[in-house]
Amino acid sequence: MTTRSGPPPARSGLPGRAGRSTVPSAGRLGLLDDSAPRNLADLGWNTPESVDVLWALSRSPDADLALRTLVRLRGAVGDEWSEIDALVRAQRSFRGRLFAVIGSSDALADHLVAEPSSWRLLVPDELPDRAEVDRLMLASVDAQPVPGEIEKGNRVYRARLTGPKAVVALRLAYRNLILQLAAHDVASTVEDEPVMWLPEVGAYLSDLADAALTAALAVAFAEVCGDKPISVRLAVVAMGKCGARELNYVSDVDVIFVSDPADGTAARIAGEMMRIGSLAYFEVDAALRPEGKSGALTRTLESHVAYYERWAKTWEFQALLKARAMTGDMQLADDYIAAVKPMVWKAAERPDFVPEVQKMRRRVESLVPEAERERNLKLGRGSLRDVEFAVQLLQMVHGRVDENLRVMPTVDALAALTAGGYVGRDDAANLSASYQFLRLLEHRLQLQRMSRTHLLPQPDDHEALRWLARAAHIRREGELDATGVLREQIRHQSLRVRRLHQKLFYRPLLEAVTRFKTDELTLTDTSAERRLAALGYAKPERALSHIRALSNAPGRRGQIQLLILPQLLEHIGDTPDPDAGLLNYRRLCEVMEDTDWFLRLLRDDGVVAARLMKVLGTSEYIANMLMRSPEVIHQYSDGPDGPKLCNVRPEDVAKGLIASTVRQQDMKRAVAVARSHRRAELVRIASADVLGLLDVPAVCNALSSVWAAVLNAALTVAIDISERERGSRAPARIAVIGMGRLGGGELGYGSDADVMFVCQPDRDAEESEALKWAQTIAENVRSMLGSPSADPPLEVDTGLRPEGRNGPIVRTLASYAAYYAQWAQPWEVQALLRAHQVAGDEALGIDFLHMIDHVRYPAGGVSNDAVKEIRRIKARVDAERLPRGADPATHTKLGRGGLADIEWTVQLLQLKYAHRYRSLHNTSTLDSLDAIGAAELLSENDVALLKDAWTTATKARNALVLVRGKPIDQLPGPGAQLRQIAFAAGWPEDQANEFLENYLRVTRRAKAVVLKVFGA
């Protein structure tokens, strides 16, 4: 691709300069307007003597627009047209500037016609220099230097022209200068004129802005102070692109005001300057000042310094990176720069630097509507802001010790980073080229109508894309015309920028630790550690040792690691605990040392790489199990129906687990197989959870299903082994009844399995013998499943059985019936509401459920005394069961509006009304809440509050286990750990406080509903 260099391209199929004696048709010139032949005739350009002019016109970005403008200009200038016509024919440079600018910009074409004499501004081959620009802008309002100020080096003037006439004069002067610049900028698209490169254009636009605001300030001084002495010192500091001298054609100009004193007069002058500048030229924005738009417009230098020392956020220091003395009292502006710039280079040492930087980055991305992200040159994916953000971050990290990096323009900063050895030469050159290409497109889009835009044309707008390609001087290549080349280049350059983080941040780290390309790179271990610290690594020296070990792996593995590590490190850096993520990745690589598929999969499937790194940097629970079940990583890819992690049915997993387990000949091996299957399923479920692919009910259902399958498999094997040893059939049938969250299908990662064992002796078996046998089977199942293991525990809890821990583990169906008929306490009846058959003999389990239905759903509802007892027990639980030192506001199980509150509320309503509404015969909390709402036992809003609280608390409780790797119910306070838990719960890491506030708000509202029910 060729852009903005060399001679202008001839359109495909057009003859060369030699032999251009035949007058080409309007169609061949690319003129599509029906009036084009008549317009050419009116101009006298339909003759052989005009052939060169016509071919030049055809190269204008919009030849039809250029021709229409020329016809209008001819009418506007009258007798001067002959002079223009002669210059067009004789001077290719003038012709190139004129045809290019009126074919590139509707707005400037209109300006040229509206101000007929402005065409003469396009005749000189040189642009006005900085001094001439200042003179022209000040002269437009007859601004005179304030005595004594120029001698001090200040830019303080007082205008003699004020009011609306001053605004008109300033607008005209500024637009004339823009016209001249734009004409020189685009001339090379039409004729063989010198190319103005992006840094030149940006710097010149910034000089124009400086001169323009100096003139606007002169008017402001005159309007506020009149002929009286100016009683304040007022400095204007340029920020953003203007501060860095890389301004766009149409852009807000960010400024900060420093005054002495900071009184009402200073504020009025500053406000007037902003008003005049915004009316005459461009939006003047002071929102980057301390406290933003809520803060005082002007402050003293001391006030600025005090604010930055005490209150400023990281983004404010990043903004100061581009601060530059602009106009007004330049001595005061220089004092401001000298005072605040050193603070910029200390910002990376702030404890909140990394999370604030990540927050800024996410906020920028969130500002762009989804439909525009592929078209937004400034804020979209692979955009200008990506480059600027990355370059500024590297400057802040390394500029603390390397003063050569303390430059402002993005292109210059990239060059300085390269010269200092912080970025590889090829990477910096490619990134700079991509950045300048995207900025060029941005300039051309803004120039078209002199409007502030960053959006590329719609992909199907062929005419707009064709114009943009010609305005950007893009040539055809091979079979692609200029529009096709433009489409391809936009895609290519955006993709290249999209990889900027791995290119800028991580590739130099690898080159440093492997010590190759030493002639290009000088990144020391200290510099590398500093960079890792800025990227969120709490222990950068350890991280560097991990990177060194991975990249120096022997043979083919090391080569692949060097290829994929930049991408992987970028993904890990986006997680809340990069240190743990990198360590876990190294551990996983050591486990997979003898396998070929692992690194190849990460290399070839970017989706797998991204998902795996997110999991490793988020969940210790998953990482530990992945070391023993790495085959699950295959499921991190996408299949034809979406993520493979979700294309698994829990019932199919259960069948496979049971089938594999029952083939084993002894209990120990059977439990090992069951654990292996369970481990893989836990990794799958938890990974899908962390990646946001499964919602809370689906997670709970899958966890409950795998627990039930383990119980079923272990029980089946225990019975088979017993029958082989006995040499006869088992003397009884056994069923396992799930209680609590297992019965409700609502298990979390840290939940035990609450169960009851029920047996039914065969007709020819003695009941005592059958019970003894069943007791042995149940104990074997419990002990083997609960034996020590590296996997999450398999605790089978029978504490909800009749008589609690003092009662027999196994009872017959008749014994259960007799007990519940005579002795059942209200809490036991309440516990039966969650009872559901989960394993063993299904028919026996169903018989048990039918037997207890009249106990848990009694005719007429439970007695008033039972309701009072349940309320009493609930009050006691609230007062006594919360662990010592726990915060009742954030304890997910027993805290205010937590899981226990919601479940007790649902169960109380079931006990009172299940006899009336069969839909309440349900063990699921969420399903029961739906039934409660349908029966109008609670309002729709109250039901929604309870469901939201249950889901929120369950999600938070699961996230605690995923992050900490063990069952924990208490949410931590603000800090790093809360950020990790919020991230695991699906919140952006920088919104940990919002996650906590949402939890508190949701549970507080739910608690009000709970009190309403229990107080009724």
Side-chain angles (χ1 to χ4, degrees), residues 228-502:
K228 298 177 183 178
I230 298 172
S231 60
V232 298
R233 299 175 66 196
L234 182 66
V236 185
V237 177
M239 305 289 285
K241 280 187 166 60
C242 187
R245 301 188 76 243
E246 53 185 7
L247 198 60
N248 293 334
Y249 273 101
V250 185
S251 177
D252 292 354
V253 171
D254 297 302
V255 297
I256 284 178
F257 295 101
V258 189
S259 66
D260 183 20
D263 58 9
T265 300
R268 286 179 59 203
I269 296 170
E272 274 300 291
M273 191 207 83
M274 291 178 62
R275 183 187 68 82
I276 294 164
S278 297
L279 288 173
Y281 326 120
F282 37 68
E283 189 70 25
V284 183
D285 192 346
L288 292 178
R289 65 186 184 267
E291 300 180 74
K293 294 182 179 179
S294 302
L297 186 58
T298 61
R299 287 176 182 255
T300 64
L301 176 58
E302 294 75 17
S303 176
H304 275 285
V305 171
Y307 173 84
Y308 287 117
E309 287 180 340
R310 186 170 183 183
W311 304 109
K313 302 292 186 183
T314 297
W315 70 265
E316 293 177 280
F317 291 111
Q318 188 170 353
L320 287 174
L321 183 68
K322 295 183 179 294
R324 174 178 62 84
M326 184 188 206
T327 192
D329 194 309
M330 297 297 280
Q331 287 183 325
L332 183 57
D334 288 338
D335 289 343
Y336 172 87
I337 299 296
V340 300
K341 274 295 176 82
M343 301 182 193
V344 173
W345 311 113
K346 297 178 181 178
E349 300 171 358
R350 293 157 59 99
D352 59 354
F353 178 74
V354 174
E356 282 205 19
V357 165
Q358 292 172 336
K359 185 174 183 177
M360 283 189 292
R361 181 176 163 195
R362 293 190 185 99
R363 182 176 180 276
V364 166
E365 293 172 355
S366 70
L367 293 175
V368 187
E370 182 67 35
E372 295 180 1
R373 288 186 180 172
E374 296 298 326
R375 297 171 51 218
N376 195 304
L377 288 168
K378 181 179 180 181
L379 303 176
R381 298 176 62 201
S383 66
L384 296 167
R385 186 57 57 86
D386 281 347
V387 181
E388 292 161 353
F389 182 90
V391 170
Q392 290 167 27
L393 183 58
L394 284 179
Q395 284 182 276
M396 294 178 76
V397 170
H398 299 297
R400 287 177 286 173
V401 294
D402 189 344
E403 294 186 4
N404 293 323
L405 301 183
R406 300 179 183 182
V407 295
M408 292 186 286
T410 303
V411 173
D412 292 351
L414 257 176
L417 287 165
T418 307
Y422 304 102
V423 178
R425 289 180 185 174
D426 291 343
D427 293 341
N430 288 333
L431 197 67
S432 182
S434 293
Y435 177 74
Q436 293 188 65
F437 174 80
L438 296 176
R439 283 292 304 275
L440 171 64
L441 297 186
E442 182 184 44
H443 276 196
R444 293 297 174 264
L445 289 167
Q446 293 182 348
L447 195 58
Q448 187 176 28
R449 293 182 176 84
M450 291 304 292
S451 62
R452 186 172 182 265
T453 181
H454 312 284
L455 283 182
L456 290 165
Q458 293 282 0
D460 58 354
D461 191 343
H462 304 295
E463 284 303 311
L465 286 169
R466 177 178 178 273
W467 168 85
L468 182 57
R470 291 165 64 87
H473 200 182
I474 293 175
R475 305 180 181 204
R476 71 174 302 138
E477 288 185 2
E479 297 181 357
L480 291 177
D481 62 9
T483 304
V485 174
L486 173 65
R487 293 178 193 273
E488 182 63 25
Q489 282 302 313
I490 290 172
R491 186 192 66 81
H492 168 70
Q493 305 290 355
S494 295
L495 284 174
R496 188 155 71 175
V497 170
R498 230 173 267 178
R499 296 193 294 269
L500 71 95
H501 288 288
Q502 56 182 279

Side-chain angles (χ1 to χ4, degrees), residues 850-905:
H850 287 317
M851 180 271 295
I852 63 170
D853 276 352
H854 76 279
V855 179
R856 56 183 176 175
Y857 313 130
V862 296
S863 66
N864 290 333
D865 288 342
V867 171
K868 290 179 182 178
E869 176 65 10
I870 288 171
R871 285 176 171 155
R872 185 190 68 78
I873 296 172
K874 176 69 169 64
R876 186 177 174 186
V877 167
D878 289 345
E880 299 177 6
R881 286 194 58 192
L882 198 68
R884 180 178 298 177
D887 182 352
T890 54
H891 195 278
T892 58
K893 181 178 180 182
L894 300 173
R896 179 189 68 198
L899 293 173
D901 264 352
I902 311 304
E903 291 164 0
W904 278 69
T905 302

